[in-house]
Amino acid sequence: MRRVLGVLLLGTVLIAATPTAFGGWAVVTLLDVPEYLVAGEETTIAFKIRQHGRQLLDDRQPTVALRDGEEGFLSKLFRLRTVRATPGADPTIYQASITPTDTGEVTLHIDTDLFRWKVKLLPMRVIAAGHQPAGLSPPDRGQQLFAAKGCATCHTKYDDPAFADYRVVQAGPGLGERTFPAGWLAQKLANPALSRSGSANGNIMPTLELDEEEIAALVSYINGGRTTVETGDR
Ligand code: HEC
């Protein structure tokens, strides 16, 4: 009897622990992040899923939900459209074609099909066909990338209200109100292994295959839009 109870208890503990302890979270990284979408036009987005920020997954059936307009009760009910993402020639790259219907804003929600782990990106502009909107400033583009590349899943950005209700696993050190020498930060983002800055619970920062434009925008966003004076070693 005791043994049975023990097994039952262990079972309960395991089930309770499953969502976070085993397999429970993933970092979603969009490859090319569009600055805006065009109403009525199809855009293909491609993304990778890294379990615990490390292991690239190629066996999921993720979905992308498109929420038009303001985030509100009504739009939650009526304005949600879901499309399935399918693996491309490289099975670790999932692709989904999305077509926003109205101009304004749209929010993408990606369900990784891994313990129902979902990631929400920041609202994206939807413009009318034939229009050419002003480009985002580097810090605004950096903010967009901070969500779309998956940084926001690991790092709390304390000083930015846009991430106030964001689901963060805090696998990395908190960011915000701290600035870094721009050169050092650019190098860190390009190749995190070059300068490990301690690790939280044994987590390490993954290489997210960022290009130069993305790195420059992220540096500008993290440093609050200012450029810091290069100080060499930190
Ligand atoms: C899987 C979680 C994870 C993701 C995703 C991630 N990081 Fe990190 N990051 C870490 C960890 C862990 C560290 C500290 C250990 C290390 O350097 O590897 C770190 C370190 C940093 C540091 C240095 C912090 C310090 O106190 O020295 C910065 C800045 C940073 N990350 C920014 C970013 C940005 C920008 C992105 C997105 C492009 C990103 N991280 C994506 C986990 C992550």
Side-chain angles (χ1 to χ4, degrees):
M1 187 59 199
R2 223 195 210 168
R3 188 115 156 257
V4 176
L5 254 182
V7 171
L8 276 177
L9 246 162
L10 183 69
T12 319
V13 170
L14 278 181
I15 289 166
T18 301
T20 41
F22 308 95
W25 62 276
V27 171
V28 172
T29 304
L30 253 63
L31 302 193
D32 293 316
V33 184
E35 277 201 13
Y36 58 86
L37 301 173
V38 180
E41 264 179 31
E42 185 180 278
T43 300
T44 300
I45 58 162
F47 58 92
K48 294 188 178 185
I49 303 174
R50 289 179 172 85
Q51 185 170 22
H52 299 152
R54 294 192 189 203
Q55 179 67 42
L56 280 170
L57 299 182
D58 61 4
D59 60 351
R60 300 291 92 196
Q61 297 191 322
T63 51
V64 179
L66 213 62
R67 194 163 280 155
D68 295 299
E70 299 292 310
E71 290 264 319
F73 178 69
L74 278 180
S75 72
K76 275 197 177 121
L77 269 182
F78 299 117
R79 317 211 62 174
L80 189 67
R81 281 171 298 131
T82 305
V83 283
R84 188 166 286 289
T86 47
D90 174 343
T92 66
I93 300 180
Y94 300 93
Q95 295 182 337
S97 294
I98 52 174
T99 311
T101 47
D102 302 324
T103 55
E105 279 187 344
V106 80
T107 311
L108 301 187
H109 298 243
I110 299 172
D111 185 332
T112 61
D113 179 37
L114 179 82
F115 294 104
R116 304 179 66 89
W117 181 263
K118 289 188 190 128
V119 167
K120 181 173 92 170
L121 306 190
L122 294 181
M124 194 176 269
R125 292 176 296 172
V126 182
I127 60 142
H131 284 241
Q132 175 75 46
L136 292 176
S137 70
D140 286 350
R141 171 74 172 155
Q143 183 198 44
Q144 180 184 52
L145 294 169
F146 199 78
K149 292 292 177 183
C151 323
T153 294
C154 290
H155 296 282
T156 307
K157 191 79 175 72
Y158 294 107
D159 58 346
D160 188 346
F163 291 107
D165 66 343
Y166 218 79
R167 197 170 171 196
V168 188
V169 294
Q170 295 188 337
L175 298 174
E177 285 161 9
R178 282 196 295 156
T179 56
F180 300 87
W184 178 86
L185 185 52
Q187 209 182 32
K188 170 78 183 164
L189 299 184
N191 188 353
L194 277 182
S195 49
R196 292 279 174 221
S197 40
S199 78
N201 307 322
N203 289 301
I204 53 164
M205 178 154 152
T207 303
L208 293 172
E209 302 158 278
L210 306 168
D211 67 27
E212 271 177 34
E213 178 266 332
E214 293 166 339
I215 289 175
L218 281 162
V219 167
S220 152
Y221 169 62
I222 290 170
N223 281 343
R226 301 180 302 267
T227 29
T228 50
V229 181
E230 195 62 61
T231 54
D233 284 344
R234 283 196 332 138

